[in-house]
Amino acid sequence: MSGRLTHLAIGAGIALSLLGWGAGQMGVIALDALRPAIRATAPAAHSAPTRPFSIHLSIEVRP
């Protein structure tokens, strides 16, 4: 039972991660489709360096 629960937790974490990544990609596509004029008129604004960031998802399974 514990092994099944572990596999379920890992699978759920991977599924949530992929779901979040997919939602982010859809957001980028939607913004590009909704605001094409901004990209064409201000290319320097989009190439400006931004501070890097990351989001970490951690799942802890205890017996």
Side-chain angles (χ1 to χ4, degrees):
M1 183 69 179
S2 179
R4 259 180 108 170
L5 187 59
T6 302
H7 288 167
L8 181 65
I10 291 171
I14 292 171
L16 284 174
S17 177
L18 289 174
L19 183 65
W21 177 81
Q25 293 300 312
M26 292 303 293
V28 168
I29 292 169
L31 285 177
D32 285 347
L34 292 173
R35 299 187 291 174
I38 292 174
R39 274 193 358 187
T41 58
H46 288 279
S47 63
T50 59
R51 291 179 23 168
F53 70 95
S54 62
I55 299 173
H56 299 275
L57 175 65
S58 176
I59 298 175
E60 182 177 341
V61 179
R62 294 185 181 190

